[in-house]
Amino acid sequence: MQRTEAVTRRSLAETTMEDAAAAFTEGFRGYVVKFTISPEAFSLRMAREDVDPEASEVFFDGDKPAGTLLIARRGKRSRVSALGIGPTIRGQGLGTRVMTDAIAAARARGDAELILEVIDSNIRARDLYRSLGFELSRKQVGFSRSRTRPVPEVPPAAECEYMEAAAMLSRFADANPTWQTDPDCFRHPGSPLISFSIGTKAVALLDDTKDDVRIYGFAVDPAERRKGLGRALADSLAARYLGRRLYTAENIAGGLLDPFMRRIGWRRSRLTQSEMVLRLD
């Protein structure tokens, strides 16, 4: 446990999921994108992204959860999965101290690199990361299908077995996926994700528990691409979710899906992120 002024920093491993989820929500209060997360969703995020509870921290203002640093780890790579500092503890230089400590810890572990994403309109955070030696790696973008866009007369998508879908995603994955689109995120079954496929050639994973339907994974067998399977799957999802917006988060490598999404009438989101990397070896 470490104190800096009125702030207590605790290992995530020493913190309840309830406090961790509250701290995550508080840490992003007033942020560019609104985040609210339940303890169950927080736990699922940890599992999907391989968040290391020993390397991650929860910040408290007195006894009130006030922010988080989440560090995810895969092999020799680490990622700042989230850094959120709540309104009551901002303006104390905590972000710089926390990131400096995270970099030192990654070096001590022998990691080769530390990566993170920053929303491009968040100039202050981007400048902080640059001052610490991070460099731009690539852009990340998202896409959406308007709820008012006409839907082709096609049969609605049919569900498939989750683990089969996850295996297809792994086989069909493009090289060098982003951390959140890496098939490793989906190797464990977990509500609320459900899966759809066209035979064994095209697959999608999504969450339909909210008004808007979020696509987490979407892939076509490389040997079967440019044959209309991707469009067929996207149209069948639109037919299943008539009148609902379909979207992906802004975590897809820029340029990877842009031509395909334009062809099928999905729009690229205005919000973009920069993936940044700090080489440690």
Side-chain angles (χ1 to χ4, degrees):
M1 186 179 296
Q2 186 175 0
R3 285 189 179 273
T4 171
E5 298 184 15
V7 181
T8 302
R9 297 166 58 181
R10 300 180 192 169
S11 164
L12 176 57
E14 302 174 323
T15 310
T16 67
M17 286 297 100
E18 289 74 16
D19 278 350
F24 185 95
T25 298
E26 185 65 18
F28 288 97
R29 189 177 300 279
Y31 191 55
V32 178
V33 177
K34 183 179 179 180
F35 288 100
T36 301
I37 196 166
S38 67
E40 294 76 18
F42 185 88
S43 180
L44 183 57
R45 176 172 179 152
M46 287 180 61
R48 282 185 188 149
E49 298 186 11
D50 293 302
V51 171
D52 182 347
E54 298 290 345
S56 303
E57 293 184 279
V58 178
F59 313 138
F60 290 81
D61 183 4
D63 60 359
K64 181 182 178 182
T68 51
L69 168 72
L70 301 184
I71 299 293
R73 298 179 58 210
R74 291 175 182 159
K76 291 289 188 180
R77 300 178 73 222
S78 293
R79 169 177 174 256
V80 179
S81 175
L83 174 59
I85 297 174
T88 66
I89 60 173
R90 289 174 190 160
Q92 301 180 27
L94 182 61
T96 301
R97 289 193 290 272
V98 166
M99 283 301 303
T100 300
D101 291 346
I103 292 167
R107 284 201 169 99
R109 290 192 299 267
D111 290 347
E113 63 182 25
L114 179 63
I115 67 169
L116 54 80
E117 303 87 37
V118 60
I119 292 175
D120 286 322
S121 60
N122 192 352
I123 305 300
R124 184 174 181 179
R126 188 192 63 191
D127 289 348
L128 167 63
Y129 300 138
R130 281 180 170 167
S131 72
L132 294 171
F134 285 85
E135 298 178 346
L136 176 65
S137 173
R138 56 185 167 179
K139 292 290 184 180
Q140 295 186 8
V141 301
F143 301 92
S144 66
R145 187 188 196 282
S146 170
R147 59 176 56 87
T148 61
R149 183 175 176 79
V151 177
E153 294 184 4
V154 298
E159 287 190 52
C160 65
E161 201 277 328
Y162 180 90
M163 293 310 294
E164 291 180 4
M168 280 193 279
L169 268 183
S170 184
R171 292 198 304 272
F172 303 162
D174 291 290
N176 194 27
T178 66
W179 196 284
Q180 292 168 286
T181 62
D182 192 308
D184 277 353
C185 290
F186 313 113
R187 64 190 184 276
H188 303 300
S191 177
L193 293 190
I194 56 176
S195 48
F196 300 88
S197 69
I198 296 179
T200 60
K201 306 300 183 182
V203 63
L205 297 181
L206 58 82
D207 176 1
D208 64 0
T209 59
K210 297 181 175 63
D211 290 340
D212 293 339
V213 179
R214 178 175 172 179
I215 310 293
Y216 277 83
F218 190 101
V220 175
D221 183 340
E224 301 295 330
R225 293 177 183 174
R226 301 187 181 279
K227 298 180 181 180
L229 286 172
R231 178 187 291 272
L233 181 56
D235 286 347
S236 70
L237 291 174
R240 184 179 180 97
Y241 296 107
L242 283 170
R244 295 172 70 179
R245 174 176 172 265
L246 303 172
Y247 77 100
T248 73
E250 292 79 13
N251 56 26
I252 298 171
L256 182 64
L257 292 181
D258 294 64
F260 168 71
M261 289 300 192
R262 281 196 297 270
R263 287 198 301 272
I264 68 172
W266 288 46
R267 293 183 177 179
R268 197 170 111 165
S269 62
R270 292 182 179 179
L271 187 147
T272 60
Q273 294 197 112
S274 290
E275 181 183 276
M276 305 184 78
V277 60
L278 177 66
R279 311 291 179 185
L280 300 170
D281 52 3

